């Protein structure tokens, strides 16, 4: 048999070399039981393609999934040879086991494995290149068939496909669960189907492999369906049970093979009633016509909450598990979903959380997000908007320190900063980012809204730095507003600015925003004597106020508690219709401070409903 294989490849030595390149390439078990389809996918940006199929042949007792990764430049002869070798290997093993079981040593012949590729009734020539056969229009769509030991498999090219799908390690009753790693190709998530199942019995320890689950009727009966959407909220009755998710990927023209994954842990009880649920009573309905609801919220980045200093000193009262992002993000998402907001401005958002959690889950509520990362650390700000309320016209993101140096509208501030080398190095070395979305209201097309979102520098000796950042931010947003007005004559342009400004109401930022001017002798300029800002005053042209006023607390920790977060709005263009009450001090102190088992962040969210003035 070995001699025959070498003889078969004698005309193309590359085929023999390529036999060594096979590897398993799918991380989830595909549910292709009973499917007579071979799935072929071109790897984007590569000269390789992938092939997967479930080979079922009862005559030789084979039921196995095969996965290949091949070069698109190789010939059909090489490709078929690779399939033949791997199929022979499995069939030979099965036959050997069968002979041993039957104690039959007489017939030691190997299986006659023949693999061919057809287009209709015609054999595809061995000399053809795989890229020309599979990824051009040379052969009619749907005409290709892979014939293996007399069994025909339709060849599906670039059909919907799931590369990876996983479920979280922490799942609590009453909180959203979803696949937090959903990597697909040629798939429209909105058209795909998601089926959630739970184990009929509690604490199932050993289960069959995913490829067997959906083909086993008895096993299916032990996993009743409990939900049919991307996000599932486990019920109290699910506590102690495992969950499974089966997704069938789809697009407008095709359906791919389902993928099934299962939780490693059971559903656990939640922390009980969370104070933000009291606030949901005010936001259970979406905002009414010509209103829009705004949320601003610093959600506490994992990069800060997971440090040993945070867990032992800053938040030492809080159980470690409640500081873990896998726990906290469940609370964050449940809280945000319950606000039914049209605009959500978040701070301290890590890129992974934005992409894997916020975008897919808030997307189920119809929100679309934009993220701007700081230049010095892996967190930043994110703004989500509702396309049902707003049309996105433009997005801009900047690093404030770079903006100071590079933009002419910051030249007056820069001229002052350059007089102090230490000051310049400090402010230009910060990674503070600002994100601005320009949105046009769908209900009143003549109304355009510029939404700023930022998170200012935190240090206690940096009131002067934050005030400088405020001047840069206003210059950045003013430039956008002026540009939008010039491009849209006859339309109204309003300004909204949200964020964690790390400034109490007595500081210069609040004065700049609400009183329009900070004089050169203001105390903030001298917050660090060696970096004192001299002979600089700041002004801004907009009539602005804080939509939620100046609450006693928006940040509440053991060492510090005060108002740091604001939704600044333009009072001559916008009106506050409603403000959602903040948690009481008693609620904030329930577990010493926040974050806690019922508060996912050291800040609380600000929520306000606004509308345009006539």
């Amino acid at each position: 048999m070995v001699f025959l294989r070498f003889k078969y490849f004698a005309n193309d030595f590359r085929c023999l070399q390529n036999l060594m390149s096979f590897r398993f390439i799918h991380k989830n078990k595909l549910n292709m039981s009973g499917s007579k389809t071979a799935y072929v996918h071109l790897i984007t940006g590569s000269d390789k393609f992938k092939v997967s199929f479930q080979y079922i042949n009862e005559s030789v007792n084979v039921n196995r999934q095969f996965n290949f990764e091949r070069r698109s430049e190789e010939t059909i002869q090489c490709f078929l040879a690779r399939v033949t070798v791997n199929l022979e290997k499995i069939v030979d093993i099965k036959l050997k086991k069968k002979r041993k079981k039957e104690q039959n040593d007489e017939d030691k012949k190997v299986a006659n494995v023949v693999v061919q590729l057809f287009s209709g009734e015609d054999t595809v020539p061995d000399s053809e290149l795989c890229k020309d056969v599979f990824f051009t229009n040379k052969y009619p769509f749907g005409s290709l068939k892979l014939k293996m030991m007399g069994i025909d498999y339709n060849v599906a090219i670039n059909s919907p496909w799931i590369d990876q799908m996983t479920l979280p390690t922490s799942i609590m009753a009453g909180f959203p669960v979803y696949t937090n790693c959903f990597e697909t190709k040629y798939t429209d998530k909105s058209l795909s189907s998601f089926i959630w199942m739970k184990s009929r019995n509690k604490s199932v320890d050993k289960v069959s492999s995913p490829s067997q689950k959906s083909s086993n009727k008895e096993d299916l009966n032990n996993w009743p369906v409990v939900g049919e959407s991307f996000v599932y909220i486990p019920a109290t009755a699910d506590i102690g049970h495992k969950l499974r998710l089966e997704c069938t990927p789809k697009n407008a023209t095709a359906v791919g093979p389902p993928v099934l994954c299962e939780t490693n842990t059971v559903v656990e009880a939640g922390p009980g009633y969370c104070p933000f649920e009291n606030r949901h009573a005010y936001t259970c309905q979406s905002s009414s016509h010509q209103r829009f609801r705004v949320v601003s919220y610093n959600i506490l980045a994992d990069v800060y909450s997971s440090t040993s200093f945070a867990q032992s000193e800053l938040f030492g009262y809080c159980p470690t598990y409640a500081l873990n992002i896998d726990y906290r993000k469940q609370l964050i998402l449940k809280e945000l979903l319950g606000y039914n907001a049209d605009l959500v401005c978040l701070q301290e958002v890590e890129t992974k959380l934005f992409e894997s959690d916020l975008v897919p889950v808030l997307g189920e509520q119809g929100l679309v997000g934009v993220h701007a990362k700081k230049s010095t650390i892996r967190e930043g700000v994110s703004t989500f908007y509702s396309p049902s309320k707003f049309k996105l016209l433009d997005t801009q993101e900047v690093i404030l320190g770079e903006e100071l140096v590079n933009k002419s509208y910051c030249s007056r501030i820069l001229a002052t900063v350059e007089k102090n080398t230490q000051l310049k190095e400090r402010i230009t070395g910060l990674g503070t980012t600002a994100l601005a979305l320009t949105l046009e209201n769908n209900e009143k097309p003549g109304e355009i809204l510029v939404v700023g979102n930022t998170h200012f520098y935190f240090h206690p000796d940096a009131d002067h730095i934050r005030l400088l950042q405020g001047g840069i931010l206003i210059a950045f947003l003013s430039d956008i507003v002026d540009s939008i007005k010039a491009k849209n004559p006859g339309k109204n342009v309003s300004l909204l600015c949200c964020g964690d400004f790390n400034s109490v109401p007595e500081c210069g930022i609040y004065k700049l925003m609400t009183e329009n001017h900070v004089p050169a002798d203001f105390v903030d300029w001298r917050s660090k004597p060696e970096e004192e800002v001299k002979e600089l005053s700041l002004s801004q042209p907009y009539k602005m106020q804080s939509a939620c006023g100046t609450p006693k607390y928006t940040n509440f920790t053991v060492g510090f508690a005060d108002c740091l977060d604001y939704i600044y709005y333009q009072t001559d263009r916008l009106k506050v219709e409603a403000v959602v009450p903040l948690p009481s001090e008693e609620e904030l102190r329930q577990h010493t401070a926040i974050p806690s088992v019922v508060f996912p962040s050291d800040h609380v969210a600000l929520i306000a409903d606004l509308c345009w003035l006539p």
Side-chain angles (χ1 to χ4, degrees):
M1 187 65 189
V2 174
F3 170 75
L4 291 176
R5 287 178 183 168
F6 274 86
K7 182 178 180 181
Y8 183 76
F9 298 134
N11 294 329
D12 194 342
F13 183 68
R14 287 180 304 166
C15 291
L16 182 58
Q17 292 177 310
N18 288 340
L19 287 181
M20 306 303 175
S21 66
F22 168 78
R23 66 185 181 91
F24 182 77
I25 48 85
H26 205 279
K27 297 180 181 179
N28 290 93
K29 290 290 186 179
L30 295 169
N31 178 16
M32 296 191 291
S33 299
S35 171
K36 294 294 192 297
T37 304
Y39 296 92
V40 178
H41 294 92
L42 182 65
I43 302 175
T44 305
S46 171
D47 64 346
K48 296 180 180 180
F49 66 98
K50 296 180 181 180
V51 182
S52 295
F53 58 86
Q54 185 85 18
Y55 184 72
I56 303 173
N57 190 329
E58 294 181 359
S59 67
V60 289
N61 195 29
V62 174
N63 184 348
R64 183 184 178 95
Q65 181 180 319
F66 288 84
N67 301 276
F68 301 86
E69 186 174 286
R70 309 300 301 165
R71 292 189 176 277
S72 59
E73 293 283 349
E74 75 178 6
T75 63
I76 290 297
Q77 180 186 24
C78 285
F79 167 67
L80 295 179
R82 177 70 267 176
V83 177
T84 301
V85 168
N86 281 270
L87 199 54
E88 280 180 342
K89 188 186 301 181
I90 299 302
V91 172
D92 286 350
I93 291 172
K94 291 291 185 179
L95 289 177
K96 186 180 293 185
K97 288 182 178 179
K98 182 180 179 182
R99 287 195 300 269
K100 185 176 181 180
K101 183 177 181 180
E102 295 175 352
Q103 297 182 345
N104 181 4
D105 293 328
E106 295 180 5
D107 185 5
K108 295 186 178 181
K109 293 188 298 182
V110 296
N112 182 26
V113 176
V114 178
V115 180
Q116 298 168 291
L117 183 65
F118 289 87
S119 175
E121 300 299 322
D122 301 322
T123 303
V124 176
D126 285 347
S127 59
E128 292 266 28
L129 297 181
C130 289
K131 67 176 183 178
D132 296 328
V133 173
F134 295 131
F135 306 114
T136 68
N137 296 323
K138 188 169 186 177
Y139 292 92
F141 177 78
S143 69
L144 294 174
K145 290 187 178 181
L146 191 62
K147 192 166 191 172
M148 296 176 284
M149 296 182 69
I151 302 174
D152 288 344
Y153 280 71
N154 295 319
V155 176
I157 299 171
N158 292 342
S159 64
W161 186 260
I162 299 174
D163 278 324
Q164 188 174 9
M165 186 172 77
T166 61
L167 293 174
T169 56
S170 173
I171 301 174
M172 297 188 295
F175 292 82
V177 60
Y178 49 93
T179 168
N180 55 352
C181 181
F182 190 57
E183 298 176 3
T184 65
K185 294 186 182 73
Y186 315 107
T187 298
D188 186 335
K189 177 170 157 278
S190 65
L191 297 178
S192 302
S193 66
F194 297 88
I195 299 176
W196 291 90
M197 296 163 274
K198 76 170 182 178
S199 59
R200 188 174 297 279
N201 300 316
K202 292 186 177 183
S203 301
V204 176
D205 295 321
K206 187 175 181 180
V207 295
S208 55
S209 67
S211 61
Q212 297 172 334
K213 291 169 185 172
S214 291
S215 61
N216 188 322
K217 185 175 181 180
E218 181 180 353
D219 190 60
L220 272 179
N221 290 335
N222 289 326
W223 292 83
V225 173
V226 292
E228 296 186 7
S229 61
F230 178 77
V231 177
Y232 173 62
I233 299 180
T236 303
D238 296 337
I239 294 174
H241 295 262
K242 286 189 174 182
L243 298 178
R244 285 181 182 171
L245 172 62
E246 181 179 78
C247 175
T248 302
K250 303 176 184 179
N251 60 32
T253 59
V255 177
V259 166
L260 191 63
C261 61
E262 182 179 304
T263 58
N264 292 323
T265 58
V266 298
V267 177
E268 299 176 333
Y273 197 78
C274 296
F276 61 71
E277 294 180 80
N278 293 329
R279 309 183 79 191
H280 288 170
Y282 297 88
T283 60
C284 55
Q285 300 294 327
S286 300
S287 61
S288 58
H289 183 65
Q290 295 194 359
R291 284 190 183 190
F292 59 93
R293 182 168 299 143
V294 184
V295 172
S296 185
Y297 193 7
N298 180 327
I299 61 174
L300 180 58
D302 182 54
V303 68
Y304 305 130
S305 67
S306 61
T307 65
S308 57
F309 177 72
Q311 295 181 357
S312 62
E313 300 293 333
L314 285 179
F315 313 128
Y317 60 89
C318 184
T320 302
Y321 75 85
L323 292 174
N324 189 296
I325 191 60
D326 286 341
Y327 176 90
R328 291 195 300 114
K329 70 184 180 183
Q330 295 179 77
L331 275 67
I332 290 167
L333 288 167
K334 180 175 182 177
E335 180 176 4
L336 290 175
L337 289 171
Y339 291 145
N340 289 298
D342 303 301
L343 289 171
V344 179
C345 294
L346 303 176
Q347 301 84 43
E348 291 196 23
V349 180
E350 296 191 15
T351 304
K352 182 180 178 182
L353 185 76
F354 173 78
E355 294 175 347
S356 300
D357 302 279
L358 293 170
V359 167
V361 176
L362 297 184
E364 289 295 294
Q365 205 172 59
L367 298 178
V368 176
V370 180
H371 182 67
K373 180 182 168 296
K374 291 180 179 178
S375 63
T376 53
I377 200 165
R378 66 173 187 254
E379 55 96 355
V381 299
S382 300
T383 300
F384 288 81
Y385 70 95
S386 171
S388 65
K389 287 276 186 177
F390 297 101
K391 174 185 176 183
L392 180 65
L393 301 181
D394 187 40
T395 299
Q396 293 188 43
E397 60 179 272
V398 296
I399 302 299
L400 294 182
E402 296 175 1
E403 198 78 351
L404 171 64
V405 174
N406 297 327
K407 293 301 174 70
S408 60
Y409 49 69
C410 293
S411 58
R412 191 173 70 88
I413 300 175
L414 179 62
T416 299
V417 169
E418 285 183 326
K419 296 175 183 178
N420 187 318
T421 302
Q422 182 174 323
L423 173 63
K424 182 181 179 182
E425 289 178 352
R426 188 177 188 188
I427 191 168
T428 57
L430 298 175
T432 306
T433 188
L435 175 64
L437 270 60
T438 302
L439 304 165
E440 185 166 17
N441 184 250
N442 293 330
E443 297 168 339
K444 293 184 70 176
E447 297 288 353
I448 295 176
L449 184 66
V450 175
V451 183
N453 184 9
T454 193
H455 180 196
F456 283 176
Y457 185 50
F458 71 95
H459 204 280
D461 72 352
D463 287 338
H464 62 305
I465 297 292
R466 287 184 283 275
L467 194 46
L468 288 170
Q469 289 182 332
I472 300 167
L473 176 68
I474 283 293
F476 165 61
L477 295 175
S478 295
D479 184 67
I480 294 174
V481 170
D482 292 344
S483 175
I484 295 297
K485 285 181 176 179
K487 294 176 182 177
N488 297 272
K491 292 187 177 182
N492 298 316
V493 182
S494 308
L495 181 61
L496 188 72
C497 190
C498 304
D500 174 1
F501 294 86
N502 269 314
S503 297
V504 298
E506 294 76 25
C507 285
I509 290 296
Y510 188 79
K511 185 177 182 67
L512 176 63
M513 288 295 191
T514 61
E515 298 180 22
N516 301 89
H517 180 74
V518 174
D521 61 352
F522 194 71
V523 64
D524 283 15
W525 295 128
R526 301 185 297 277
S527 61
K528 188 172 184 180
E530 56 268 40
E531 294 176 0
E532 181 180 352
V533 179
K534 299 179 180 180
E535 300 178 349
L536 179 66
S537 62
L538 293 177
S539 298
Q540 61 92 1
Y542 307 101
K543 296 179 180 179
M544 306 284 283
Q545 287 296 327
S546 171
C548 299
T550 55
K552 189 175 181 180
Y553 309 114
T554 66
N555 174 251
F556 196 91
T557 64
V558 171
F560 178 87
D562 215 317
C563 176
L564 301 178
D565 305 84
Y566 305 88
I567 298 173
Y568 291 114
Y569 73 103
Q570 194 172 337
T571 59
D572 57 339
R573 296 296 324 141
L574 300 166
K575 177 185 176 183
V576 176
E577 291 284 357
V579 174
V580 175
L582 274 72
S584 67
E585 186 170 343
E586 181 182 3
E587 290 172 322
L588 295 171
R589 292 187 184 277
Q590 180 183 359
H591 298 279
T592 304
I594 62 174
S596 69
V597 293
V598 293
F599 280 96
S601 175
D602 55 341
H603 290 249
V604 293
L606 300 178
I607 309 109
D609 285 7
L610 289 86
C611 69
W612 275 272
L613 291 173

